[in-house]
């Protein structure tokens, strides 16, 4: 809460006044009341409650006014409790920097955090580490992601580039971050007009870059062509994020000359190396992301007993994730019933799960910049067929690839890799070698799968009874000092556990039991 200073009087602490109001109200609620007669019914009780509430609020207003009379000037400025509330709101109003802050969203961010769970100190530490690993007299240019448009004026939902977010904490488009030993972090922020604010709302500018994102220097983007060329000329090597190459610096003569002289290189290897091992705060956010998608998939599995449209189940998982706090899905959900489950990155989600078929769902969500990734395959009818049981591949997750010092290996049963690094991107740190030893703090997925299409495509050799079956089981795994921890272990994958889950509660409903039997026939 803030303070209200009236004239030359000492400041009135609004927090103390508010607590006094609450105490008065609580005291009033706790006093013994005369009960209305039963003959008055609900109306009598409501009238009594309204009378008590009115009396409590009147007392609270008197308290507010007494506090304001501490100075002679008080009545001239605030003669009613309504004026007090207006002043409190004005004095505690936070500056809008285009994204949540501890003042605008105290339920999300603690004091000192730039993004939920990540402090300004951690962001500053990341910048220092990047400068330490870059060669001497290097310049790093990391542009934000561009806003993609559905049409000329209608934007797609924006998602920030991982490297830019990792270094700056800014979740908005249009900026360019430049780092060097000489200048530290220099942020070039987009120029906005009053019309932009009307259409898009407030966005972070130079002041927010310095005061909130803790940049060492900040300038409008329009001044970059005057400032950046000299920085490029003074550097020996220019590293930049190739994925977000921006015309704002790409077309500078100095950048073109540096590129022709082989001075321009991709910064991804260095940033991927930094992002490989997660900090404690990052692990906390990824735990939450994993928890959200795990709980959401459990609810979706139960719904699949009676709702068999892939589109409905895709909608259900997204709804459940967002209701639990996810900002968006990590990727378009894979919801493949029957033969659709044999398509590794199936995305149409326009089919219907037929009787006796398996359903494969590969889903993930984003929580405050960090992603989850989880896959389960199950029979919505509640029973596995003998052929489906034989193809279940949970055992391949226990091939000894989870311990420290071992790498993510390719499995011949799976046409894709057996897993991948996970973090701010669904395939995180992709520039690093797949043979890179695992270390404590690394988070990977383990996702063995068998995919047999209805007819051979890549000369798959399989008996007819296995045709049109796709099975994948995927978990998130955190490498620890003592071994590993499965972050998505709460979602069942054992045959007996899945069967129990899918039949849970069916005996209590004749309708459910009938539908389950029909689905298996």
């Amino acid at each position: 809460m803030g303070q209200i200073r009236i004239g030359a009087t000492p400041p009135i602490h609004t927090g103390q006044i508010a607590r006094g109001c609450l105490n008065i109200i609580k005291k009033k609620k706790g006093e013994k009341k005369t009960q209305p007669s039963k003959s008055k019914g609900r109306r009598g009780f409501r009238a009594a409650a309204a009378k008590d509430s009115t009396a409590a609020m009147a007392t609270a207003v008197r308290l507010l006014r007494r506090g304001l009379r501490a100075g002679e000037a008080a009545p001239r400025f605030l003669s009613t409790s309504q004026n007090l509330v207006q002043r409190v709101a004005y004095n505690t109003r936070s500056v809008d920097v285009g994204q949540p802050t501890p003042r605008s969203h105290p339920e999300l961010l603690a004091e000192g955090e730039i993004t939920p769970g990540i402090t300004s100190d951690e962001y500053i530490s990341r910048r220092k580490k990047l400068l330490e690993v870059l060669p001497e007299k290097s310049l790093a240019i990391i542009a934000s992601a561009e806003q993609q448009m559905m049409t000329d004026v209608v934007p797609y939902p924006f998602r920030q580039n991982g490297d830019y977010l990792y270094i700056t904490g800014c979740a908005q488009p249009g900026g360019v971050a430049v780092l060097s030993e000489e200048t530290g972090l220099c942020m070039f922020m987009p120029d906005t007009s009053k019309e932009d604010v009307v259409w898009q709302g407030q966005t972070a500018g130079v002041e927010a870059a310095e005061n909130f994102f803790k940049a060492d220097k900040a300038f409008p983007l329009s001044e970059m062509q005057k400032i950046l060329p000299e920085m490029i000329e003074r550097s020996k090597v220019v590293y930049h994020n190739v994925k977000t190459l921006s015309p704002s610096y790409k077309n500078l003569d100095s950048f073109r000359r540096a590129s022709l002289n082989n001075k321009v290189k991709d910064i991804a290897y260095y940033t991927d190396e930094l992002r490989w091992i997660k900090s404690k705060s990052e692990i906390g956010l990824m735990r939450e992301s994993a928890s959200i998608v795990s709980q959401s998939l459990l609810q979706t599995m139960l719904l699949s007993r009676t709702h068999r449209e892939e589109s409905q189940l895709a909608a259900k998982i997204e709804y459940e994730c967002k209701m639990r706090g996810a900002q968006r899905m990590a990727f378009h959900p894979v919801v493949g019933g029957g033969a659709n489950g044999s398509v590794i990155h199936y995305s149409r989600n326009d089919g219907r799960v037929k009787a006796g078929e398996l359903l494969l769902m590969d889903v993930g969500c984003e929580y405050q910049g960090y992603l989850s990734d989880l896959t389960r395959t199950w029979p919505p009818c509640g029973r596995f067929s003998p052929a489906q049981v034989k193809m279940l591949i949970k055992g391949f997750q226990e091939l000894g690839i989870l311990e420290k010092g071992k790498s993510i290996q390719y499995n011949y049963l799976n046409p894709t890799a057996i897993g991948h690094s996970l973090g701010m991107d669904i395939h995180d740190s992709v520039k690093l070698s797949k043979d890179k030893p695992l270390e404590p703090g690394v988070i990977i997925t383990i996702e063995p799968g068998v995919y047999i299409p209805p007819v051979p495509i890549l000369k798959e050799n399989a008996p007819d009874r296995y045709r049109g079956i796709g099975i994948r089981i995927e978990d998130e795994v955190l490498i620890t000092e003592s071994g590993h921890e499965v972050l998505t272990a709460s979602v069942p994958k054992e045959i007996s556990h899945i069967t129990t889950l899918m039949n849970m509660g069916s005996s209590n409903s004749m309708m459910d039991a009938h539908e389950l039997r029909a689905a298996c026939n």
Side-chain angles (χ1 to χ4, degrees), residues 278-405:
K278 273 62 177 179
S279 67
K280 290 183 178 179
S281 54
E282 290 180 294
I283 291 172
L285 292 171
M286 292 197 69
R287 282 185 191 280
E288 184 61 25
S289 184
S291 174
I292 289 171
V293 78
S294 295
Q295 295 176 58
S296 300
L297 184 57
L298 282 169
Q299 294 299 318
T300 308
M301 291 174 74
L302 292 175
L303 183 70
S304 72
R305 298 184 300 183
T306 54
H307 293 70
R308 303 300 171 77
E309 299 292 338
E310 293 172 351
S311 59
Q312 292 177 328
L313 299 172
K316 174 67 172 178
I317 190 71
E318 183 168 358
Y319 168 80
E320 293 289 344
C321 284
K322 289 187 175 180
M323 288 298 290
R324 287 173 169 81
Q327 281 70 55
R328 59 182 66 84
M329 301 307 289
F331 51 89
H332 188 68
V334 175
V335 187
N340 293 336
S342 67
V343 180
I344 297 172
H345 282 176
Y346 177 74
S347 62
R348 288 173 54 178
N349 299 345
D350 60 358
R352 178 179 175 81
V353 188
K354 298 183 179 67
E357 290 184 332
L358 290 177
L359 172 62
L360 184 155
M361 285 190 66
D362 185 351
V363 294
C365 70
E366 179 174 340
Y367 179 74
Q368 307 303 340
Y370 289 84
L371 308 181
S372 51
D373 195 1
L374 169 65
T375 307
R376 289 292 185 268
T377 308
W378 71 93
C381 70
R383 292 202 308 265
F384 290 95
S385 72
Q388 292 166 353
V389 170
K390 287 184 179 180
M391 282 189 61
L392 280 172
I393 50 166
K394 175 189 172 294
F396 291 106
Q397 290 183 285
E398 301 168 357
L399 292 176
I401 57 177
L402 304 178
E403 305 304 324
K404 286 189 298 180

Side-chain angles (χ1 to χ4, degrees), residues 89-152:
Y90 177 81
N91 281 275
T92 59
R93 186 175 60 193
S94 59
V95 177
D96 189 347
V97 302
Q99 65 187 67
T101 69
R103 286 182 176 261
S104 67
H105 292 71
E107 73 282 5
L108 284 180
L109 292 90
E111 197 65 38
E113 292 180 346
I114 291 181
T115 56
I118 312 290
T119 65
S120 59
D121 288 341
E122 182 162 340
Y123 280 104
I124 293 170
S125 174
R126 292 173 179 179
R127 300 162 195 167
K128 289 180 178 178
K129 288 179 181 177
L130 178 57
L131 290 174
E132 287 171 1
V133 298
L134 290 176
E136 187 179 1
K137 292 189 177 179
S138 294
L139 185 72
I141 304 174
I142 303 175
S144 70
E146 293 290 336
Q147 176 69 70
Q148 302 297 317
M149 307 299 288
M150 290 184 181
T151 65
D152 56 342

Side-chain angles (χ1 to χ4, degrees), residues 6-19:
I6 304 173
T9 63
I12 301 171
H13 291 265
T14 57
Q16 294 174 350
I17 294 176
R19 284 192 294 273

Side-chain angles (χ1 to χ4, degrees), residues 96-99 170 172 189-190 192 202-209 212-213:
D96 189 347
V97 302
Q99 65 187 67
C170 181
Q172 303 163 59
M189 307 304 288
T192 56
Q202 292 288 347
T203 56
V206 171
E207 185 178 352
F212 184 66
F213 298 113

Side-chain angles (χ1 to χ4, degrees), residues 74-92:
R76 295 199 302 270
F77 286 87
L78 301 172
S79 58
T80 67
S81 59
Q82 182 181 5
N83 287 342
L84 173 62
V85 172
Q86 291 173 346
R87 287 292 296 271
V88 170
Y90 177 81
N91 281 275
T92 59

Side-chain angles (χ1 to χ4, degrees), residues 177-188:
V178 180
L179 287 94
S180 70
E181 287 285 358
E182 184 180 358
T183 63
L185 173 64
C186 179
M187 292 181 71
F188 293 93

